[in-house]
Amino acid sequence: MSDTAAPQLGSWLRQRWSRTVSSGTGLNVIGLIGAIILLYVVLGSTATGFTSAANQMGLLRDAAMIGVAATGMTLVIVAGEIDVSIGPAVAFSTVIFAKAMTQLHLPTVLAILVTLACGAAWGGLVGVLRAKVGVPSFIGTLGLWNILGGLALFTTDALPVPVPIDDPLIDLMSSQIAGMPTPAWVMLIAFVLFGFIAIRTKYGRSVYAVGGNSRAARLASINVDRVRVLIFVTTGILSALSGVLLTARLGSGNGGAAGGLEFSVIAAVVVGGTAMTGGRGSLLGTFLGVIFITLLGNGLVLLGVNSFLQQVVSGAIIVIAVLLNVLLSRRRGISTTD
Amino acid sequence: MEPAAQAATIARAHQVSKRYPGVQALKDVDFEVDAGEVRALLGANGAGKSTLIRMLSGVEVPDEGWVELGGTRLTGSGVKEAGRLGVSTVYQELSVIPEMTVAENLYLGHWLRGRAGIDTRAQEALARRVLEEIGVTLDPGREVAGLTLAEQQIVEIARALHSDPKLLILDEPTSALASHEVDLVLEVVRRVAARGVGVIYVSHRMDEIRQIADTVTVMRDGRHVATTDVAGASTQTIVELMLGGKEQERVAYTRREYGEVRLSVRELALPPKLERVSFEVRAGEIVGLAGLLGAGRTELLQAIAGFRTAAGGRVEINGTPLRRANPLTAKRLGVGLTPEDRKREGVINELSIAENMVMSDYPRVSSYATLSPRRITEAATQLRDRLAIKIADVNHSIATLSGGNQQKAVIGRWLHAGSNVLLLDEPTRGVDVGSKAQIYDIMRALADDGAAVVFVSSELEELPLVCDRVLVLRSGRLAEEFVAPDITTTALLAAAMTTSTEEN
């Protein structure tokens, strides 16, 4: 049996490989893995403290901050939409969670559920506006960005709302499980879950169909409106979840937290090869995009680059990464026509 | 020829020929239009009307022969040259900008500039005068989006008059309009001609042609067949000229036994296009829907499939009434619609062939709410074999397929969903001859398996080949019905084009 299994495995791998290489996302994945290895080698040999356990743990926490929301954002962008409300949504969620615990004295689990429900509610609102009324998602979520950011500061007077750090669940969320930070586990689970949803469920494939050609999807009896509502409910819940994790990490709810997070999330998704025009993208790509962006930020800090200059460098590198991506898919476009 | 008529000729094509790869689009065509004349231009699909128009308006250059405008020969330097010599063309597709006002649309790109930027008031005053000259009272300050289709078409025509043309070409200007809206456009055309402009009017509606045209030129297979007086020619004569008396032989018609009624449409009304349409389709039957462009065929199919709300009447699918317009309910009852615009509404290029087919019913290829790639591939491979889609691996992108094979995949989508009322809107458009024949075979095979098939086609000559029955839509109702084997292209075309006054 082993004599036949080996060549079978070989041909299976070859087939997988050629399919991976021939698809645009495949090339992108290989490129990103290369870039991540390169960053590890360069930073490992030049930046002091990069390889230290503490820094690696910090990296994972930072990655989780971006990654949890990036899973849902991938589906949003694949569907041809955008959600720019992540940062303030996370900030307001830390406030809701902290207040639910300390002022409403809810049990921790219930406080978490309340926070997630709030996220689902405002996500659903934007989704309904998009699907039923036709308000562009950029406008809807921009409004949400303002509203949630304002509420987060207004309800706290911009002061932190401390949470009891001796609470076992909060302690669990801010510490490690099996040697890895809890938020990183949450991120990994989210990626596996959303990877599965994207490839193996009716809902996931409907998201790709709607992003590829919404008219054709509608005529093929796909419920386009429901897809458009659900993707924003999803990012709402994931923002709330990120908020809960951040509260545990900071030990308080904080109305000004996670500033600019939405752009890191969108950048990670786009660097990961998801097309802003919709219809194309993968969770694996987004995962690598999250790692890439996190490494880049971490490395620039460790290398002692001027903090203002850091923004310039990371901005330029993100644009270059996306440019390469576009060029790759264009080359592929030519190769399929001949 | 009389010298007076000679002097009034404003456009002339002399022995014009044009070849495209694989097809002789025009062959030795002579064509003349006089000032102030309205000339109807008729011909079946592919007869060469569009090619002739493209030559006259300078879009393309003849391989042989030449085009002369107002006595000057076109040198082939493009649309601008023809425009300078006085040709203006209004194409079938509306090209107004809905968000702008009537006046802004009239002067699109040549807005009237005053001291301080664009002078809106002067522009609107000028627009009002231009519109009044062609007998239209329309507020130039109104947004075009708020106008009726007929009014938008008039704005389009008025814009074409901006350059003060000697020859105005109108390519099916009324095809998107309901029949009662047409008069407004005809009145404008009449006024334009009265000003001495020669008009070439492409249309298939004989009642319009009789109202405004003096003479009609009929083309067929790239040749000029005849130019005659409209008044002296009956619709029947013109149809025979268009088709040249050629009838395709029907492939061995066999009378069939039909099953139960699968689709029943009663008194369906979709204003402004359709009023009180009723018909039935049984299991095993292929029913063709004929009618001119804009007769409401697509709208009718969309209403049956639940994408459009009817103003009245009812639709029953497999015995169950469709109470509210809802695509999901219609699908569950057995309806499958393949849209007429395959590229924009049919395929999703980003997905594989297999995914394009199974998307109509995911649960069928899932277990425990999880899609099974193995079952998707199996289902798609079966459909591929059944529909003879030429591809080795159904997991390839659908963009790699030819038009005909893409169309088969879109039909396959509804077979996957188990639909037995199949509404095929122009399934053979943009498809090569071989694939067309295969699609006919597929339709027949599906009907033999118990499906009811409704087949819409603008190419009337293909309806007699496959249909058991053909219904002709005209002026908002089902005007005539033909039953195999007594379906001929000539009869269908005559029925579609006929004027109400010719009926008896």
Side-chain angles (χ1 to χ4, degrees):
Chain A
M1 196 192 122
S2 57
D3 336 325
T4 54
Q8 260 176 19
L9 181 70
S11 78
W12 182 82
L13 278 176
R14 260 198 307 281
Q15 206 184 341
R16 278 278 128 168
W17 172 252
S18 70
R19 201 173 276 175
T20 309
V21 171
S22 69
S23 75
T25 49
L27 271 178
N28 183 61
V29 162
I30 293 163
L32 271 174
I33 292 176
I36 288 168
I37 292 174
L38 192 71
L39 275 174
Y40 253 95
V41 171
V42 171
L43 292 173
S45 55
T46 56
T48 39
F50 174 74
T51 47
S52 75
N55 188 55
Q56 293 299 311
M57 288 298 149
L59 263 177
L60 282 171
R61 282 180 209 280
D62 290 345
M65 201 57 229
I66 303 175
V68 171
T71 55
M73 183 67 81
T74 306
L75 292 192
V76 167
I77 296 181
V78 165
E81 306 290 335
I82 191 73
D83 184 345
V84 297
S85 71
I86 306 293
V90 169
F92 190 43
S93 298
T94 69
V95 173
I96 295 174
F97 178 51
K99 291 208 170 214
M101 276 190 79
T102 58
Q103 292 179 11
L104 301 177
H105 306 292
L106 293 180
T108 317
V109 175
L110 202 55
I112 292 175
L113 290 178
V114 165
T115 312
L116 299 187
C118 290
W122 68 61
L125 181 71
V126 168
V128 168
L129 282 176
R130 167 66 187 96
K132 305 285 180 190
V133 191
V135 176
S137 53
F138 180 79
I139 301 300
T141 57
L142 185 63
L144 203 59
W145 187 92
N146 278 302
I147 293 167
L148 297 180
L151 281 175
L153 294 172
F154 173 73
T155 50
T156 60
D157 287 328
L159 296 172
V161 183
V163 288
I165 43 172
D166 52 351
D167 181 281
L169 209 51
I170 292 205
D171 180 53
L172 180 70
M173 288 191 292
S174 60
S175 57
Q176 304 175 353
I177 299 173
M180 193 164 81
T182 311
W185 282 110
V186 174
M187 172 181 73
L188 279 186
I189 292 166
F191 269 106
V192 172
L193 180 68
F194 278 90
F196 179 82
I197 288 174
I199 301 169
R200 296 288 290 274
T201 66
K202 172 179 175 173
Y203 167 65
R205 298 323 290 164
S206 302
V207 169
Y208 281 78
V210 169
N213 184 342
S214 61
R215 286 158 66 128
R218 198 183 291 277
L219 285 171
S221 81
I222 284 175
N223 194 333
V224 177
D225 288 355
R226 199 178 62 181
V227 166
R228 285 182 174 153
V229 174
L230 282 180
I231 51 174
F232 290 104
V233 170
T234 309
T235 45
I237 293 175
L238 291 171
S239 301
L241 183 60
S242 299
V244 170
L245 293 170
L246 185 61
T247 312
R249 185 177 174 182
L250 299 174
S252 64
N254 195 322
L261 181 64
E262 56 277 2
F263 296 111
S264 305
V265 172
I266 294 168
V269 174
V270 174
V271 166
T274 298
M276 288 297 278
T277 46
R280 266 183 231 279
S282 75
L283 269 298
L284 176 59
T286 297
F287 179 72
L288 295 172
V290 168
I291 302 294
F292 178 79
I293 297 240
T294 314
L295 274 178
L296 192 63
N298 183 259
L300 290 173
V301 172
L302 290 182
L303 289 173
V305 176
N306 175 298
S307 69
F308 298 127
L309 206 56
Q310 281 176 25
Q311 287 190 33
V312 178
V313 175
S314 62
I317 290 182
I318 288 165
V319 171
I320 290 169
V322 174
L323 188 72
L324 286 175
N325 227 326
V326 170
L327 292 178
L328 278 178
S329 60
R330 192 174 295 165
R331 207 193 63 174
R332 192 175 78 94
I334 291 165
S335 68
T336 48
T337 48
D338 61 27
Chain B
M1 201 174 278
E2 298 160 63
Q6 187 76 26
T9 299
I10 49 159
R12 168 186 296 161
H14 178 78
Q15 290 287 303
V16 166
S17 295
K18 180 77 189 176
R19 265 195 86 77
Y20 294 118
V23 56
Q24 181 83 42
L26 284 182
K27 183 73 183 152
D28 302 332
V29 172
D30 283 313
F31 184 77
E32 280 183 16
V33 183
D34 293 345
E37 175 192 23
V38 179
R39 169 74 60 86
L41 185 57
L42 274 173
N45 286 336
K49 292 169 301 189
S50 313
T51 313
L52 179 61
I53 288 173
R54 282 205 291 274
M55 300 291 156
L56 290 170
S57 53
V59 178
E60 295 209 47
V61 185
D63 295 338
E64 288 158 50
W66 39 263
V67 173
E68 201 179 83
L69 297 168
T72 313
R73 246 185 236 195
L74 283 187
T75 59
S77 53
V79 190
K80 287 218 167 115
E81 182 192 21
R84 220 173 30 244
L85 293 171
V87 181
S88 207
T89 311
V90 176
Y91 291 99
Q92 207 170 319
E93 301 238 323
L94 281 173
S95 60
V96 285
I97 297 177
E99 293 82 5
M100 290 187 161
T101 65
V102 172
E104 283 176 302
N105 268 288
L106 279 187
Y107 298 100
L108 202 63
H110 311 280
W111 293 292
L112 212 64
R113 249 173 281 180
R115 283 233 182 95
I118 291 168
D119 188 343
T120 313
R121 200 184 299 168
Q123 185 168 277
E124 287 182 6
L126 204 60
R128 193 184 306 274
R129 251 207 338 270
V130 169
L131 288 168
E132 272 166 8
E133 272 176 40
I134 53 173
V136 182
T137 37
L138 206 60
D139 178 4
R142 267 179 76 187
E143 228 181 60
V144 163
L147 302 181
T148 66
L149 276 179
E151 288 168 334
Q152 294 188 17
Q153 187 61 261
I154 283 163
V155 171
E156 192 100 32
I157 294 173
R159 183 164 74 197
L161 295 174
H162 179 69
S163 57
D164 201 13
K166 297 187 181 65
L167 175 67
L168 178 67
I169 303 175
L170 301 172
D171 190 3
E172 302 221 31
T174 55
S175 61
L177 309 183
S179 40
H180 62 86
E181 295 179 304
V182 170
D183 291 345
L184 205 56
V185 175
L186 294 187
E187 182 54 34
V188 168
V189 173
R190 226 173 265 132
R191 293 242 185 176
V192 169
R195 286 174 18 177
V197 177
V199 179
I200 298 178
Y201 190 89
V202 180
S203 172
H204 288 115
R205 297 182 176 183
M206 278 311 288
D207 48 348
E208 288 173 31
I209 292 174
R210 287 190 193 287
Q211 280 181 58
I212 59 159
D214 316 303
T215 46
V216 50
T217 292
V218 180
M219 295 186 67
R220 186 199 332 136
D221 300 334
R223 287 166 196 274
H224 174 269
V225 179
T227 296
T228 66
D229 257 13
V230 172
S234 71
T235 303
Q236 189 64 33
T237 319
I238 286 172
V239 166
E240 275 159 20
L241 285 172
M242 282 171 69
L243 297 175
K246 58 169 181 193
E247 273 300 335
Q248 275 170 287
E249 269 312 303
R250 191 189 168 96
V251 252
Y253 175 75
T254 39
R255 193 160 289 282
R256 289 178 166 77
E257 290 298 318
Y258 305 125
E260 71 269 40
V261 174
R262 291 222 181 277
L263 169 66
S264 159
V265 176
R266 286 278 152 263
E267 309 257 300
L268 194 76
L270 287 168
K273 288 280 178 70
L274 299 178
E275 45 185 77
R276 287 193 287 157
V277 170
S278 303
F279 65 97
E280 278 182 353
V281 186
R282 292 173 173 273
E285 197 179 17
I286 302 177
V287 171
L289 265 185
L292 299 180
L293 204 61
R297 301 165 304 188
T298 298
E299 290 84 348
L300 179 56
L301 295 194
Q302 287 175 345
I304 297 170
F307 287 101
R308 213 174 250 275
T309 308
R314 53 194 240 137
V315 173
E316 266 182 32
I317 295 145
N318 288 310
T320 313
L322 184 65
R323 290 190 202 290
R324 277 186 336 118
N326 181 338
L328 293 176
T329 315
K331 179 188 106 176
R332 237 170 264 134
L333 294 175
V335 175
L337 166 70
T338 70
E340 111 193 87
D341 190 337
R342 188 180 60 239
K343 284 210 181 74
R344 283 170 59 202
E345 303 189 317
V347 297
I348 297 176
N349 276 326
E350 284 83 355
L351 300 182
S352 69
I353 299 157
E355 286 219 67
N356 265 283
M357 293 202 276
V358 301
M359 63 191 287
S360 58
D361 191 354
Y362 285 113
R364 203 177 273 250
V365 285
S366 309
S367 36
Y368 305 108
T370 302
L371 296 176
S372 155
R374 186 181 52 80
R375 286 172 66 184
I376 291 178
T377 308
E378 273 173 16
T381 307
Q382 270 177 25
L383 287 169
R384 175 199 70 185
D385 296 342
R386 190 167 164 199
L387 299 168
I389 298 172
K390 288 191 205 80
I391 190 83
D393 185 352
V394 289
N395 289 311
H396 279 292
S397 161
I398 196 155
T400 58
L401 291 182
S402 68
N405 282 308
Q406 283 187 3
Q407 188 65 53
K408 289 190 231 167
V410 177
I411 296 174
R413 182 182 289 168
W414 295 109
L415 301 188
H416 174 73
S419 306
N420 56 20
V421 175
L422 293 166
L423 314 174
L424 310 180
D425 198 356
E426 305 276 6
T428 56
R429 177 182 286 178
V431 155
D432 64 277
V433 184
S435 299
K436 273 187 189 176
Q438 287 177 358
I439 289 172
Y440 303 151
D441 290 344
I442 289 169
M443 285 164 58
R444 181 46 75 194
L446 295 176
D448 288 344
D449 285 349
V453 181
V454 178
F455 176 30
V456 165
S457 177
S458 293
E459 292 180 38
L460 293 179
E461 56 273 24
E462 66 181 3
L463 292 173
L465 297 177
V466 271
C467 293
D468 297 308
R469 209 148 46 95
V470 178
L471 309 169
V472 182
L473 277 173
R474 188 180 67 225
S475 312
R477 21 183 219 104
L478 285 179
E480 277 175 72
E481 174 174 344
F482 297 88
V483 181
D486 302 315
I487 309 174
T488 62
T489 313
T490 321
L492 291 178
L493 188 55
M497 287 172 54
T498 293
T499 8
S500 31
T501 49
E502 280 180 310
E503 285 179 68
N504 34 19

